[in-house]
Amino acid sequence: MPNDGSWRGNYLSQPNLFNPDSSGVGLFKIFYDRTDQNGCTITKEVNINIQALPTFYLKDSSTFCTDGGSILLTKELVTTFVPNGSTTTFYINNIQVPENYNLNSLAPNTYNVKAIHQQGECTVSDTGRIHIIAKTTLSLPPNDTVCINDGTFQLTASPTGGSWSGPGVNPATGVIDLNMAKGGVKMYNYVFEKGTSCEVSGSVNIKINDPANNLNIGADTAFCYGPTALALTASPGNGTWNGQGVQPSFGIIDLTQLKTDTTYTYQYCVNDNAISNCQACKEKKITIHSLPQPTFLKDSTNCIGEVITFTNTTPPGSYDPATVSWNFGNGNTSHLDPAVTQSYASKNNYTVALTLKNYNGCSNTYSQTIRVTTKPTIGSNLMLPPVHVHLTL
Protein backbone atom coordinates (compact mmCIF):
# COMPACT_ATOMS: atom_id res chain seq x y z
CA MET A 1 0.00 0.00 0.00
CA PRO A 2 1.43 3.48 -0.89
CA ASN A 3 2.46 5.42 2.16
CA ASP A 4 1.64 8.90 0.92
CA GLY A 5 -1.86 8.81 2.36
CA SER A 6 -3.10 9.38 5.92
CA TRP A 7 -4.78 7.32 8.63
CA ARG A 8 -7.84 8.28 10.54
CA GLY A 9 -9.90 6.66 13.29
CA ASN A 10 -10.04 6.23 17.05
CA TYR A 11 -7.08 5.35 19.25
CA LEU A 12 -4.43 6.52 16.81
CA SER A 13 -1.64 7.85 19.01
CA GLN A 14 0.47 8.93 16.06
CA PRO A 15 -0.41 9.37 12.41
CA ASN A 16 0.31 5.69 11.74
CA LEU A 17 0.22 4.03 15.20
CA PHE A 18 -2.82 2.32 16.83
CA ASN A 19 -2.69 2.35 20.64
CA PRO A 20 -4.22 -0.88 22.12
CA ASP A 21 -3.56 0.36 25.64
CA SER A 22 -6.18 2.98 25.05
CA SER A 23 -8.62 0.94 22.98
CA GLY A 24 -8.87 -2.15 25.16
CA VAL A 25 -10.02 -5.49 23.84
CA GLY A 26 -12.29 -5.60 20.79
CA LEU A 27 -12.64 -5.18 17.02
CA PHE A 28 -11.90 -1.68 15.75
CA LYS A 29 -12.11 -0.02 12.33
CA ILE A 30 -9.65 2.56 11.01
CA PHE A 31 -9.37 4.11 7.57
CA TYR A 32 -6.59 5.01 5.17
CA ASP A 33 -7.20 7.92 2.78
CA ARG A 34 -5.04 8.65 -0.28
CA THR A 35 -5.43 11.36 -2.93
CA ASP A 36 -3.71 10.72 -6.26
CA GLN A 37 -2.19 13.28 -8.60
CA ASN A 38 -5.49 13.79 -10.36
CA GLY A 39 -7.15 14.85 -7.16
CA CYS A 40 -9.09 11.60 -6.72
CA THR A 41 -9.34 10.28 -3.16
CA ILE A 42 -9.68 6.59 -2.31
CA THR A 43 -10.36 5.13 1.17
CA LYS A 44 -9.35 1.70 2.53
CA GLU A 45 -11.07 0.25 5.63
CA VAL A 46 -8.90 -1.82 7.98
CA ASN A 47 -10.14 -4.02 10.91
CA ILE A 48 -7.92 -4.26 13.96
CA ASN A 49 -8.68 -7.10 16.41
CA ILE A 50 -7.22 -6.47 19.85
CA GLN A 51 -7.05 -9.68 21.93
CA ALA A 52 -6.76 -9.91 25.68
CA LEU A 53 -3.32 -10.83 26.92
CA PRO A 54 -3.55 -14.51 28.04
CA THR A 55 -3.16 -15.38 31.72
CA PHE A 56 -0.27 -17.75 32.11
CA TYR A 57 1.73 -18.70 35.23
CA LEU A 58 4.19 -21.35 36.26
CA LYS A 59 4.59 -22.75 39.76
CA ASP A 60 7.31 -20.86 41.55
CA SER A 61 8.85 -24.12 42.73
CA SER A 62 8.23 -27.79 41.93
CA THR A 63 9.93 -30.89 43.27
CA PHE A 64 10.51 -34.15 41.44
CA CYS A 65 12.51 -37.28 42.12
CA THR A 66 15.33 -38.87 40.20
CA ASP A 67 14.37 -41.84 38.09
CA GLY A 68 10.86 -40.46 38.08
CA GLY A 69 10.36 -41.12 34.37
CA SER A 70 8.53 -38.83 31.97
CA ILE A 71 6.23 -36.02 33.06
CA LEU A 72 4.00 -33.67 31.10
CA LEU A 73 5.45 -30.25 31.89
CA THR A 74 2.23 -28.39 31.09
CA LYS A 75 0.34 -30.53 33.59
CA GLU A 76 2.98 -30.45 36.33
CA LEU A 77 4.27 -26.85 36.10
CA VAL A 78 1.51 -24.61 34.67
CA THR A 79 -1.06 -23.32 37.17
CA THR A 80 -3.41 -21.65 34.67
CA PHE A 81 -5.78 -23.04 32.08
CA VAL A 82 -4.17 -23.87 28.76
CA PRO A 83 -6.76 -23.77 25.94
CA ASN A 84 -6.61 -25.91 22.83
CA GLY A 85 -4.84 -24.24 19.95
CA SER A 86 -2.26 -22.50 22.12
CA THR A 87 1.40 -23.50 22.23
CA THR A 88 3.85 -23.56 25.11
CA THR A 89 7.59 -23.94 24.77
CA PHE A 90 9.70 -24.93 27.78
CA TYR A 91 13.34 -24.22 28.59
CA ILE A 92 15.34 -25.80 31.42
CA ASN A 93 18.53 -23.91 32.16
CA ASN A 94 18.00 -22.09 28.82
CA ILE A 95 17.86 -25.35 26.86
CA GLN A 96 14.61 -26.08 25.04
CA VAL A 97 13.05 -29.37 26.14
CA PRO A 98 9.98 -31.29 24.92
CA GLU A 99 6.69 -30.88 26.76
CA ASN A 100 6.72 -34.60 27.61
CA TYR A 101 10.06 -34.59 29.40
CA ASN A 102 11.99 -37.51 30.91
CA LEU A 103 13.37 -36.51 34.31
CA ASN A 104 15.89 -39.35 34.31
CA SER A 105 18.34 -37.08 32.47
CA LEU A 106 18.51 -34.68 35.43
CA ALA A 107 20.77 -35.23 38.42
CA PRO A 108 19.68 -34.02 41.89
CA ASN A 109 19.89 -30.22 41.76
CA THR A 110 17.86 -27.04 41.28
CA TYR A 111 17.02 -25.98 37.73
CA ASN A 112 15.60 -22.77 36.24
CA VAL A 113 12.54 -23.19 34.04
CA LYS A 114 11.11 -20.78 31.51
CA ALA A 115 7.93 -21.21 29.51
CA ILE A 116 6.82 -19.13 26.51
CA HIS A 117 3.12 -19.34 25.86
CA GLN A 118 1.45 -18.19 22.64
CA GLN A 119 -2.30 -17.85 22.35
CA GLY A 120 -3.51 -16.35 19.09
CA GLU A 121 -1.29 -13.37 18.29
CA CYS A 122 -0.30 -12.84 21.91
CA THR A 123 2.76 -14.26 23.59
CA VAL A 124 3.55 -14.28 27.32
CA SER A 125 6.13 -16.03 29.43
CA ASP A 126 6.84 -17.00 33.02
CA THR A 127 9.64 -18.57 35.01
CA GLY A 128 10.01 -20.96 37.93
CA ARG A 129 12.33 -23.55 39.42
CA ILE A 130 12.32 -27.31 39.71
CA HIS A 131 14.16 -29.29 42.34
CA ILE A 132 15.35 -32.80 41.56
CA ILE A 133 15.81 -34.91 44.70
CA ALA A 134 16.61 -38.55 45.38
CA LYS A 135 13.68 -40.88 46.02
CA THR A 136 12.88 -41.63 49.65
CA THR A 137 13.89 -45.04 50.99
CA LEU A 138 10.78 -46.93 52.04
CA SER A 139 10.84 -48.92 55.28
CA LEU A 140 8.09 -51.44 56.05
CA PRO A 141 7.62 -53.87 58.96
CA PRO A 142 8.60 -57.53 58.47
CA ASN A 143 6.06 -60.23 57.69
CA ASP A 144 4.25 -61.21 60.87
CA THR A 145 1.79 -63.68 62.40
CA VAL A 146 -1.06 -62.49 64.64
CA CYS A 147 -4.11 -63.96 66.37
CA ILE A 148 -7.55 -62.97 65.11
CA ASN A 149 -8.68 -62.62 68.74
CA ASP A 150 -6.47 -59.52 69.04
CA GLY A 151 -9.16 -57.64 67.12
CA THR A 152 -6.81 -55.18 65.38
CA PHE A 153 -3.22 -54.96 64.18
CA GLN A 154 -1.25 -51.76 63.47
CA LEU A 155 0.83 -51.57 60.29
CA THR A 156 3.63 -48.99 60.26
CA ALA A 157 5.72 -47.48 57.48
CA SER A 158 8.41 -44.86 57.00
CA PRO A 159 7.96 -42.28 55.62
CA THR A 160 4.45 -41.76 56.94
CA GLY A 161 1.68 -40.10 54.98
CA GLY A 162 1.21 -42.83 52.38
CA SER A 163 -1.77 -45.09 51.81
CA TRP A 164 -2.37 -48.74 52.75
CA SER A 165 -4.52 -51.22 50.87
CA GLY A 166 -5.52 -54.79 51.67
CA PRO A 167 -8.25 -56.81 53.43
CA GLY A 168 -9.80 -54.95 56.37
CA VAL A 169 -7.15 -52.19 56.55
CA ASN A 170 -7.80 -48.48 57.11
CA PRO A 171 -5.96 -46.77 54.19
CA ALA A 172 -4.92 -43.73 56.24
CA THR A 173 -4.03 -45.28 59.62
CA GLY A 174 -2.85 -48.75 58.62
CA VAL A 175 -5.01 -50.41 61.30
CA ILE A 176 -6.26 -53.86 60.23
CA ASP A 177 -9.66 -55.06 61.43
CA LEU A 178 -8.66 -58.71 61.85
CA ASN A 179 -12.24 -59.99 62.00
CA MET A 180 -13.04 -58.22 58.75
CA ALA A 181 -9.85 -59.50 57.12
CA LYS A 182 -10.54 -63.08 58.35
CA GLY A 183 -7.99 -65.84 58.77
CA GLY A 184 -5.17 -66.70 56.38
CA VAL A 185 -2.15 -64.99 54.82
CA LYS A 186 -3.05 -61.46 53.69
CA MET A 187 -0.95 -59.04 51.60
CA TYR A 188 -0.93 -55.33 52.45
CA ASN A 189 0.45 -52.73 50.03
CA TYR A 190 1.80 -49.31 50.98
CA VAL A 191 2.24 -46.43 48.50
CA PHE A 192 3.95 -43.12 49.25
CA GLU A 193 3.56 -40.10 46.94
CA LYS A 194 1.28 -42.11 44.67
CA GLY A 195 1.09 -40.92 41.07
CA THR A 196 4.15 -38.67 41.32
CA SER A 197 7.74 -39.05 40.19
CA CYS A 198 8.61 -39.72 43.85
CA GLU A 199 6.25 -42.68 44.21
CA VAL A 200 7.64 -45.60 46.21
CA SER A 201 5.72 -48.70 47.24
CA GLY A 202 6.09 -52.01 48.99
CA SER A 203 4.11 -54.81 50.59
CA VAL A 204 4.05 -56.93 53.74
CA ASN A 205 2.38 -60.27 54.44
CA ILE A 206 0.39 -60.73 57.64
CA LYS A 207 -0.71 -64.24 58.61
CA ILE A 208 -3.90 -64.09 60.64
CA ASN A 209 -4.29 -67.26 62.69
CA ASP A 210 -7.91 -68.14 63.43
CA PRO A 211 -8.29 -71.22 65.63
CA ALA A 212 -12.02 -71.14 64.94
CA ASN A 213 -11.38 -71.78 61.26
CA ASN A 214 -12.69 -75.29 60.46
CA LEU A 215 -13.65 -75.76 64.12
CA ASN A 216 -16.71 -78.01 64.16
CA ILE A 217 -18.55 -79.41 67.16
CA GLY A 218 -21.82 -80.29 65.45
CA ALA A 219 -25.33 -79.02 65.99
CA ASP A 220 -27.27 -78.76 69.23
CA THR A 221 -28.53 -82.17 70.38
CA ALA A 222 -31.78 -83.26 72.01
CA PHE A 223 -32.80 -86.86 72.77
CA CYS A 224 -35.10 -88.90 74.96
CA TYR A 225 -34.23 -90.12 78.43
CA GLY A 226 -32.55 -93.49 78.49
CA PRO A 227 -28.80 -93.47 77.73
CA THR A 228 -26.46 -92.99 80.68
CA ALA A 229 -23.56 -91.50 78.70
CA LEU A 230 -23.03 -89.36 75.59
CA ALA A 231 -19.79 -88.91 73.64
CA LEU A 232 -19.29 -85.37 72.27
CA THR A 233 -17.21 -85.07 69.10
CA ALA A 234 -15.24 -82.14 67.72
CA SER A 235 -12.75 -81.33 64.98
CA PRO A 236 -9.90 -80.63 65.40
CA GLY A 237 -9.70 -82.99 68.33
CA ASN A 238 -6.98 -81.41 70.43
CA GLY A 239 -9.27 -79.14 72.48
CA THR A 240 -11.02 -79.42 75.82
CA TRP A 241 -14.68 -79.57 76.83
CA ASN A 242 -16.37 -77.71 79.67
CA GLY A 243 -19.84 -78.31 81.07
CA GLN A 244 -21.97 -80.32 83.51
CA GLY A 245 -20.76 -83.90 83.92
CA VAL A 246 -18.32 -83.89 80.96
CA GLN A 247 -14.79 -85.27 80.90
CA PRO A 248 -12.69 -82.31 79.59
CA SER A 249 -10.26 -84.32 77.48
CA PHE A 250 -12.57 -87.03 76.15
CA GLY A 251 -15.92 -85.24 75.87
CA ILE A 252 -17.88 -88.05 77.58
CA ILE A 253 -20.96 -86.75 79.46
CA ASP A 254 -22.25 -88.67 82.48
CA LEU A 255 -25.95 -88.23 81.73
CA THR A 256 -26.93 -89.36 85.23
CA GLN A 257 -25.78 -85.92 86.41
CA LEU A 258 -28.26 -84.14 84.12
CA LYS A 259 -31.91 -83.35 84.75
CA THR A 260 -34.54 -84.03 82.14
CA ASP A 261 -36.21 -81.16 80.27
CA THR A 262 -33.27 -78.89 81.11
CA THR A 263 -30.88 -77.44 78.51
CA TYR A 264 -27.15 -77.63 79.29
CA THR A 265 -24.45 -75.68 77.46
CA TYR A 266 -21.12 -77.31 76.62
CA GLN A 267 -18.11 -75.32 75.44
CA TYR A 268 -15.23 -76.67 73.35
CA CYS A 269 -11.99 -74.67 73.15
CA VAL A 270 -8.86 -75.13 71.03
CA ASN A 271 -5.54 -73.29 71.24
CA ASP A 272 -3.26 -72.17 68.42
CA ASN A 273 0.12 -73.51 69.47
CA ALA A 274 1.94 -71.06 67.18
CA ILE A 275 0.81 -68.02 69.19
CA SER A 276 0.36 -67.71 72.92
CA ASN A 277 -3.11 -66.89 74.24
CA CYS A 278 -4.72 -67.54 70.86
CA GLN A 279 -7.85 -69.56 71.62
CA ALA A 280 -11.21 -70.18 69.97
CA CYS A 281 -14.32 -71.67 71.56
CA LYS A 282 -17.69 -72.86 70.33
CA GLU A 283 -20.77 -73.92 72.24
CA LYS A 284 -23.48 -76.50 71.77
CA LYS A 285 -26.60 -77.28 73.77
CA ILE A 286 -27.70 -80.68 75.08
CA THR A 287 -31.27 -81.41 76.19
CA ILE A 288 -32.66 -84.69 77.57
CA HIS A 289 -36.42 -84.94 77.09
CA SER A 290 -38.42 -86.77 79.75
CA LEU A 291 -40.54 -89.82 78.89
CA PRO A 292 -44.33 -89.89 79.16
CA GLN A 293 -45.65 -91.83 82.16
CA PRO A 294 -48.61 -93.86 80.88
CA THR A 295 -51.08 -95.42 83.38
CA PHE A 296 -54.45 -97.11 82.99
CA LEU A 297 -57.16 -98.79 85.08
CA LYS A 298 -59.40 -101.78 84.32
CA ASP A 299 -62.82 -102.54 85.67
CA SER A 300 -63.46 -105.46 88.01
CA THR A 301 -64.50 -107.93 85.32
CA ASN A 302 -62.19 -110.95 84.84
CA CYS A 303 -64.42 -113.60 83.26
CA ILE A 304 -64.16 -115.28 79.90
CA GLY A 305 -66.37 -113.67 77.26
CA GLU A 306 -67.26 -110.65 79.32
CA VAL A 307 -66.43 -107.10 78.19
CA ILE A 308 -63.58 -105.57 80.14
CA THR A 309 -63.10 -101.78 80.08
CA PHE A 310 -59.61 -100.26 80.17
CA THR A 311 -59.27 -96.50 80.83
CA ASN A 312 -56.16 -94.38 80.06
CA THR A 313 -55.54 -92.33 83.21
CA THR A 314 -52.38 -90.61 81.97
CA PRO A 315 -52.58 -86.82 82.65
CA PRO A 316 -53.84 -84.99 79.53
CA GLY A 317 -51.21 -82.80 77.88
CA SER A 318 -48.36 -85.10 78.90
CA TYR A 319 -48.78 -87.20 75.77
CA ASP A 320 -49.93 -86.94 72.17
CA PRO A 321 -53.41 -88.57 71.86
CA ALA A 322 -52.67 -89.48 68.24
CA THR A 323 -49.94 -91.87 69.43
CA VAL A 324 -52.06 -93.99 71.82
CA SER A 325 -51.43 -97.70 71.28
CA TRP A 326 -53.09 -100.55 73.23
CA ASN A 327 -51.92 -104.17 73.13
CA PHE A 328 -54.26 -106.58 74.92
CA GLY A 329 -51.97 -109.60 74.94
CA ASN A 330 -54.33 -111.72 72.83
CA GLY A 331 -53.27 -110.38 69.44
CA ASN A 332 -55.72 -107.50 69.47
CA THR A 333 -54.70 -103.83 69.46
CA SER A 334 -56.44 -100.46 69.55
CA HIS A 335 -55.73 -96.74 69.26
CA LEU A 336 -58.83 -95.49 71.05
CA ASP A 337 -58.48 -92.99 73.88
CA PRO A 338 -59.18 -92.72 76.75
CA ALA A 339 -61.47 -95.79 77.20
CA VAL A 340 -61.35 -99.04 75.27
CA THR A 341 -63.07 -102.44 75.73
CA GLN A 342 -61.85 -105.95 75.17
CA SER A 343 -63.10 -109.52 75.84
CA TYR A 344 -61.14 -112.74 76.11
CA ALA A 345 -62.19 -116.15 74.80
CA SER A 346 -60.04 -118.39 76.99
CA LYS A 347 -58.77 -118.68 80.47
CA ASN A 348 -55.19 -117.35 80.81
CA ASN A 349 -52.91 -114.63 82.08
CA TYR A 350 -52.76 -111.69 79.66
CA THR A 351 -50.33 -108.75 79.62
CA VAL A 352 -52.09 -105.53 78.65
CA ALA A 353 -49.76 -102.70 77.54
CA LEU A 354 -50.39 -98.99 76.88
CA THR A 355 -47.73 -97.19 74.80
CA LEU A 356 -47.67 -93.38 74.47
CA LYS A 357 -45.46 -90.71 72.88
CA ASN A 358 -45.13 -87.14 74.11
CA TYR A 359 -44.79 -84.08 71.89
CA ASN A 360 -40.97 -84.44 71.87
CA GLY A 361 -41.36 -87.86 70.25
CA CYS A 362 -40.34 -89.79 73.36
CA SER A 363 -42.11 -93.13 73.89
CA ASN A 364 -42.88 -95.19 77.02
CA THR A 365 -44.97 -98.26 77.84
CA TYR A 366 -46.93 -99.26 80.93
CA SER A 367 -48.31 -102.81 81.30
CA GLN A 368 -50.47 -104.89 83.67
CA THR A 369 -51.00 -108.66 83.80
CA ILE A 370 -54.63 -109.73 84.21
CA ARG A 371 -56.05 -113.18 85.01
CA VAL A 372 -59.06 -114.20 82.91
CA THR A 373 -61.05 -117.11 84.44
CA THR A 374 -64.25 -118.99 83.85
CA LYS A 375 -67.51 -117.83 85.34
CA PRO A 376 -68.56 -119.57 88.56
CA THR A 377 -71.41 -122.19 88.21
CA ILE A 378 -74.22 -123.47 90.58
CA GLY A 379 -73.88 -127.27 91.32
CA SER A 380 -76.83 -129.89 91.33
CA ASN A 381 -76.30 -130.71 95.03
CA LEU A 382 -76.87 -127.19 96.06
CA MET A 383 -78.92 -127.29 99.32
CA LEU A 384 -81.57 -124.64 99.73
CA PRO A 385 -82.64 -123.54 103.17
CA PRO A 386 -86.08 -124.70 104.30
CA VAL A 387 -89.00 -122.47 103.48
CA HIS A 388 -91.63 -121.84 106.15
CA VAL A 389 -95.12 -120.83 105.03
CA HIS A 390 -97.46 -119.30 107.52
CA LEU A 391 -101.14 -119.67 106.83
CA THR A 392 -103.70 -117.42 108.48
CA LEU A 393 -107.42 -118.19 108.78
Side-chain angles (χ1 to χ4, degrees):
M1 179 182 293
N3 59 3
D4 56 348
S6 62
W7 293 93
R8 60 184 174 85
N10 296 327
Y11 309 113
L12 292 173
S13 60
Q14 296 183 21
N16 59 347
L17 293 178
F18 184 85
N19 188 350
D21 292 336
S22 300
S23 68
V25 177
L27 185 64
F28 302 92
K29 296 180 183 296
I30 60 173
F31 304 93
Y32 183 76
D33 300 322
R34 178 176 178 271
T35 302
D36 63 13
Q37 59 186 0
N38 298 317
C40 296
T41 300
I42 59 175
T43 299
K44 179 70 174 178
E45 181 181 301
V46 177
N47 291 323
I48 297 179
N49 185 13
I50 304 300
Q51 299 175 343
L53 196 65
T55 301
F56 180 80
Y57 296 107
L58 295 181
K59 294 179 182 178
D60 291 335
S61 179
S62 302
T63 300
F64 303 96
C65 287
T66 55
D67 301 324
S70 296
I71 63 170
L72 192 64
L73 294 176
T74 301
K75 177 182 177 182
E76 298 294 338
L77 301 183
V78 179
T79 63
T80 49
F81 174 70
V82 178
N84 293 332
S86 62
T87 60
T88 305
T89 304
F90 292 91
Y91 298 84
I92 297 179
N93 280 5
N94 297 320
I95 299 176
Q96 184 176 343
V97 296
E99 184 179 4
N100 190 12
Y101 184 60
N102 193 327
L103 297 176
N104 294 349
S105 61
L106 299 179
N109 207 337
T110 298
Y111 297 85
N112 295 319
V113 179
K114 181 179 180 180
I116 299 176
H117 178 73
Q118 183 175 357
Q119 190 171 317
E121 297 298 323
C122 300
T123 300
V124 292
S125 65
D126 198 15
T127 60
R129 291 185 299 175
I130 60 174
H131 307 280
I132 304 298
I133 61 174
K135 280 188 176 180
T136 300
T137 300
L138 178 62
S139 176
L140 295 178
N143 297 337
D144 206 348
T145 301
V146 299
C147 180
I148 197 169
N149 295 344
D150 294 340
T152 61
F153 181 75
Q154 176 69 63
L155 293 170
T156 58
S158 178
T160 60
S163 178
W164 287 97
S165 62
V169 71
N170 184 303
T173 65
V175 174
I176 305 173
D177 183 332
L178 299 177
N179 290 296
M180 182 182 295
K182 302 187 181 302
V185 178
K186 311 296 179 179
M187 177 180 288
Y188 295 91
N189 299 302
Y190 182 77
V191 181
F192 179 74
E193 297 285 1
K194 183 177 181 179
T196 72
S197 63
C198 296
E199 178 179 321
V200 288
S201 63
S203 63
V204 58
N205 291 328
I206 302 297
K207 183 181 180 183
I208 304 172
N209 283 10
D210 184 4
N213 190 30
N214 298 320
L215 176 59
N216 184 14
I217 62 173
D220 294 344
T221 302
F223 52 92
C224 298
Y225 176 83
T228 58
L230 175 68
L232 299 173
T233 59
S235 176
N238 59 340
T240 56
W241 287 97
N242 293 285
Q244 178 69 32
V246 70
Q247 298 176 4
S249 299
F250 302 102
I252 305 296
I253 303 176
D254 179 1
L255 298 179
T256 64
Q257 298 186 33
L258 275 58
K259 298 178 180 179
T260 57
D261 300 322
T262 301
T263 298
Y264 294 85
T265 299
Y266 291 85
Q267 184 184 66
Y268 183 74
C269 297
V270 291
N271 292 294
D272 188 326
N273 295 328
I275 307 176
S276 62
N277 300 320
C278 190
Q279 184 184 75
C281 298
K282 283 190 175 181
E283 294 181 347
K284 71 180 302 179
K285 292 177 169 51
I286 302 294
T287 304
I288 303 177
H289 296 306
S290 60
L291 304 181
Q293 301 298 316
T295 59
F296 66 86
L297 297 174
K298 64 173 286 298
D299 61 17
S300 60
T301 303
N302 288 301
C303 296
I304 295 172
E306 293 183 346
V307 175
I308 303 174
T309 300
F310 299 92
T311 303
N312 179 8
T313 57
T314 309
S318 67
Y319 68 97
D320 182 356
T323 67
V324 170
S325 178
W326 294 92
N327 188 320
F328 301 105
N330 61 353
N332 294 338
T333 61
S334 176
H335 298 287
L336 295 178
D337 188 56
V340 62
T341 60
Q342 185 67 196
S343 62
Y344 293 87
S346 59
K347 176 182 177 181
N348 206 343
N349 291 328
Y350 296 93
T351 300
V352 179
L354 172 61
T355 301
L356 303 175
K357 284 185 179 180
N358 59 23
Y359 292 99
N360 290 317
C362 298
S363 176
N364 199 11
T365 299
Y366 171 71
S367 62
Q368 292 183 30
T369 299
I370 65 172
R371 175 68 177 172
V372 176
T373 64
T374 58
K375 293 181 180 180
T377 60
I378 301 175
S380 59
N381 296 323
L382 180 64
M383 298 297 292
L384 296 176
V387 176
H388 300 277
V389 179
H390 298 276
L391 298 176
T392 305
L393 294 178

